[in-house]
Amino acid sequence: LLGNLGDLQTDQQKIEYTTGPHFIQVSENRVARSCLNLGSYNYLGFADDWDLTCRRDVMASLDDLPVSAASNRTTFGTTKLHRQVEELVARFLEKEDSMALNMGFNTNATTIPALVTSGDLVISDQLNHTSIVNGARASGAAIRIFRHNDTEHLDQILREAIIMGRPRTRRPWNKILVIVEGIYSMEGEYCDLRNVVQVAKKYGAYVYLDEAHSIGAMGATGRGCAEYCGVNTSDIDIMMGTFTKSFGGMGGYIAGSKEVISMLRKKCAGSTTHNSLSPVVCQQIISSFKVIMGEDGTDIGKNKLRALRDNSNYVRMRLNDMGLHVLGHFDSPIMPVMLYNPTKIAAFSRECLKRGLAVVVVGFPAVPILMSRARFCISAGHTRDELERALNEIDEIADVLKLRYARSTFG
């Protein structure tokens, strides 16, 4: 938000920008606005209390290791901290092994082509993330789409795939991979994981679960969608997640059987070609995992999980009470509020900025052109006073922009 007042077009804009409690003079000619962050994926608040929870060990890691290994994982890019991260992930998820990669998006985009190829079938949820879409398209496998969270439609597609086989030849598919997400990031909804796994097992298909937004943020102990839905992780063949949301780091992981992970280390481009995860970030991930698991000797992790759930449910309840059209489920930290009209995207963002709220607004092509929305991401680091102020401001904006679609078609 840093800028020069001279960039504003009118004197009235300058007056509006510089008046009020949110104006900050950064330097002689550069200004900013102090905003409450309602848009980032800081679910467990490690970006807020880093000095308390992670700083000591993360800074100490620089005494032994460089900021970058300057190599991929298969040559010189694997350190003792990479091994520790992978052991922690595998233990946390009760899987045999795991592999850490340096970017969440590329974890999907490079792993899926290593798992399936020509002669295989990918069955993907309609609202899966672009990284999954890119990975599936790059794989060369055939792709079928099932309606979002509709396990009856998934059953129908699987049954047809088994009966009909491949187009033209009718030979059976080599393997079938069903891909779903734990929390859908533009919807704030959980996957119907229990029924997805049941249907996939019925037809002998493999299950790939993307937990980018759910790992660390769902379940009594933060173990994600499987824990929340009561599904044993042994029933999920491939578990993917990222360290950028709940862990205050970067990168992603793939967890599964030793056989699968060993194969991926040799075939996945994220392992063989891309630079490995920074050792410093590895230590951040290790430190945050220990806090979440209670292995730091405190109850900070338990309190963070409880605070995230309480904050999320409180905000969702208040937004619903305002008459806003809020997507998603309770206990989800992601709250999309529907704007619908594309002209309200910029208007909502500006009204929030004026009131000291930093928000994410989403339009086409990320969502259909008439399904524009604002997306709030709640954190354990938010205090109740901060959320109360934000909700009062959003209530006022809802009147200005006519957003109460749950009460009236006209808002």
Side-chain angles (χ1 to χ4, degrees):
L1 301 176
L2 294 177
N4 192 311
L5 283 176
D7 296 336
L8 297 176
Q9 296 175 349
T10 66
D11 290 339
Q12 181 61 33
Q13 287 179 335
K14 293 179 182 179
I15 293 171
E16 289 180 356
Y17 196 93
T18 55
T19 55
H22 311 297
F23 171 73
I24 298 175
Q25 186 84 28
V26 179
S27 61
E28 184 177 344
N29 58 1
R30 295 189 69 77
V31 297
R33 292 189 75 77
S34 174
C35 294
L36 176 64
N37 187 343
L38 293 174
S40 71
Y41 304 131
N42 181 33
Y43 295 141
L44 292 183
F46 282 110
D48 299 307
D49 58 12
W50 183 77
D51 281 345
L52 172 67
T53 55
C54 302
R55 178 187 177 90
R56 185 186 63 186
D57 290 340
V58 171
M59 298 304 292
S61 69
L62 290 169
D63 295 336
D64 299 325
L65 295 165
V67 172
S68 172
S71 178
N72 61 54
R73 288 296 306 276
T74 56
T75 50
F76 302 106
T78 297
T79 69
K80 61 182 180 181
L81 295 183
H82 290 88
R83 294 297 190 199
Q84 287 181 38
V85 167
E86 291 169 345
E87 289 167 6
L88 264 176
V89 169
R91 179 157 61 89
F92 190 66
L93 298 175
E94 297 181 338
K95 302 299 284 185
E96 292 180 1
D97 201 0
S98 75
M99 176 177 69
L101 302 174
N102 77 341
M103 183 179 175
F105 189 101
N106 281 352
T107 301
N108 278 328
T110 62
T111 297
I112 294 172
L115 291 170
V116 291
T117 185
S118 178
D120 299 327
L121 175 64
V122 170
I123 303 179
S124 180
D125 187 285
Q126 180 183 15
L127 297 183
N128 274 343
H129 191 263
T130 305
S131 59
I132 295 174
V133 174
N134 287 2
R137 288 175 176 173
S139 70
I143 302 171
R144 301 285 185 274
I145 305 298
F146 69 95
R147 289 188 294 270
H148 176 55
N149 255 350
D150 187 340
T151 51
E152 290 185 4
H153 191 215
L154 173 62
D155 186 291
Q156 177 185 334
I157 291 174
L158 276 167
R159 184 171 64 251
E160 182 179 309
I162 297 295
I163 294 171
M164 301 300 293
R166 302 186 217 176
R168 293 189 298 276
T169 66
R170 302 306 175 199
R171 296 176 63 187
W173 299 100
N174 293 332
K175 55 179 172 284
I176 300 175
L177 183 66
V178 177
I179 306 181
V180 293
E181 295 185 36
I183 295 180
Y184 292 88
S185 60
M186 286 299 168
E187 314 300 318
E189 295 178 356
Y190 308 139
C191 167
D192 184 8
L193 186 61
R194 181 183 290 274
N195 286 326
V196 166
V197 169
Q198 183 178 347
V199 171
K201 289 180 72 175
K202 174 182 174 183
Y203 293 101
Y206 298 102
V207 177
Y208 182 113
L209 175 64
D210 177 339
E211 294 218 82
H213 289 270
S214 53
I215 192 67
M218 284 180 69
T221 62
R223 284 172 167 80
C225 187
E227 180 181 46
Y228 188 87
C229 296
V231 175
N232 195 313
T233 56
S234 63
D235 291 330
I236 305 168
D237 302 284
I238 304 292
M239 300 185 74
M240 176 271 177
T242 63
F243 302 123
T244 52
K245 281 81 176 177
S246 297
F247 303 93
M250 62 175 286
Y253 67 81
I254 292 289
S257 67
K258 282 189 176 296
E259 182 183 6
V260 169
I261 299 302
S262 177
M263 178 274 293
L264 288 175
R265 291 189 200 281
K266 300 167 189 171
K267 285 189 63 178
C268 173
S271 174
T272 62
T273 307
H274 298 176
N275 205 42
S276 69
L277 196 61
S278 166
V280 180
V281 175
C282 286
Q283 183 57 59
Q284 167 65 27
I285 295 163
I286 293 166
S287 298
S288 55
F289 257 117
K290 288 183 176 178
V291 171
I292 294 169
M293 297 167 76
E295 294 182 2
D296 62 334
T298 72
D299 59 358
I300 293 175
K302 185 187 298 184
N303 292 337
K304 282 178 175 291
L305 289 164
R306 182 172 62 247
L308 175 62
R309 183 176 62 252
D310 291 347
N311 284 348
S312 299
N313 289 340
Y314 175 71
V315 172
R316 184 176 291 277
M317 177 188 70
R318 284 288 308 277
L319 293 173
N320 283 328
D321 289 345
M322 290 178 200
L324 303 179
H325 190 174
V326 187
L327 302 185
H329 299 136
F330 275 90
D331 292 341
S332 167
I334 301 173
M335 268 146 273
V337 172
M338 298 306 296
L339 307 176
Y340 294 110
N341 191 328
T343 62
K344 294 185 179 182
I345 297 173
F348 186 85
S349 180
R350 288 169 184 158
E351 290 295 328
C352 286
L353 179 61
K354 188 189 300 183
R355 293 165 173 79
L357 303 177
V359 302
V360 172
V361 287
V362 187
F364 182 82
V367 293
I369 196 164
L370 294 180
M371 297 296 283
S372 306
R373 64 198 66 183
R375 184 182 67 174
F376 301 118
C377 292
I378 305 304
S379 168
H382 287 134
T383 66
R384 191 53 61 92
D385 287 343
E386 289 172 338
L387 294 175
E388 195 65 43
R389 180 183 80 80
L391 288 163
N392 290 336
E393 301 286 9
I394 293 167
D395 194 24
E396 183 180 311
I397 295 169
D399 282 330
V400 173
L401 299 183
K402 306 295 183 187
L403 298 178
R404 303 186 196 278
Y405 293 112
R407 296 179 184 172
S408 167
T409 304
F410 303 103

